[in-house]
Every structure is written in structure tokens, then in C-alpha cells.
Amino acid sequence: MKPETRNPRTVGPEHRTPSPTAIFGALADTRRQHTLVYLASKPAAISLGDLAEYIAIAEDQASYDWYQRILVDLHHRHLPQLVDAGLARYDATAETVELAVDAASLRPYLSIVSDDE
């Protein structure tokens, strides 16, 4: 019996491991750091509102106005970058976000971020 091998051209995007460059690029912004830390701690998709609330509290700016600014910033800037990097899945219609990679593969990178805080 011949062993099965993977063809990199047929592996779907959900099975690709992001490069360290993509991960460090994603971690270059504090809001994306908070997003990945929060997503890595959740077993399933979360609402965009919950994520924005978590970030507002982490930034010590827990006001409704700040929350709204974070929602817009996540939707237009940060979540598309995380999706492009292959780190998150964002359903804009359902307003849910989830990690697109195994949380264990991000832990070494997230521990670097956490050590700096």
C-alpha cells in the first residue's frame, strides 16, 4: 500500500499554517494582539460585539463611543488583515469571528506579546 501524501496545491486555505512573517505582521498592532489572544481563549466563534467589548476594557476605555469606534476599526481594518493572514474567519453578515488556526500554534507568539505587557 502506498502512503498518502499531501499536494500543496490541493490543500485548502483552512489547512495552511500561516508563516511566522504573517503572524508577526498580525501582531504588529495592539488591537490585533488583543483579538488573537481573545480568540485563542474561545472554543468557538464569538460575536463581534463581545470582541469589541473585550478590547475596550483591555484599552481601559470602556465607553459606548469607544466601543463603537472599535467595532468600525475591527470591521474595516483589523479583521480583514487577520483573514488575509489566514489567522481568523470573519462572517460580516452574522457578525461572528473565530480563529482559523489551531490555538496551540499561536501560543508561542502570543506568549511573546503577553511578556511585553
Side-chain angles (χ1 to χ4, degrees):
M1 180 171 203
K2 186 177 177 181
E4 243 181 75
T5 58
R6 286 190 202 179
N7 182 347
R9 294 181 191 151
T10 61
V11 174
E14 66 279 356
H15 296 292
R16 292 188 188 137
T17 302
S19 69
T21 302
I23 294 171
F24 282 120
L27 293 173
D29 185 90
T30 305
R31 283 197 178 154
R32 288 193 300 272
Q33 291 173 13
H34 290 310
T35 298
L36 290 173
V37 165
Y38 193 62
L39 292 176
S41 71
K42 301 298 176 185
I46 60 161
S47 75
L48 183 59
D50 287 349
L51 176 60
E53 183 179 345
Y54 171 82
I55 292 172
I57 292 168
E59 292 178 351
D60 202 24
Q61 296 284 336
S63 70
Y64 183 74
D65 182 53
W66 198 253
Y67 167 83
Q68 289 294 321
R69 289 174 187 239
I70 292 170
L71 280 174
V72 171
D73 198 29
L74 286 170
H75 175 77
H76 290 286
R77 184 171 159 218
H78 299 297
L79 293 178
Q81 288 180 353
L82 291 174
V83 169
D84 288 346
L87 296 169
R89 282 188 284 275
Y90 173 48
D91 183 342
T93 306
E95 294 186 345
T96 58
V97 186
E98 65 183 319
L99 207 55
V101 296
D102 183 35
S105 66
L106 284 181
R107 284 202 178 91
Y109 300 98
L110 297 178
S111 69
I112 293 169
V113 173
S114 297
D115 290 343
D116 291 342
E117 293 183 327

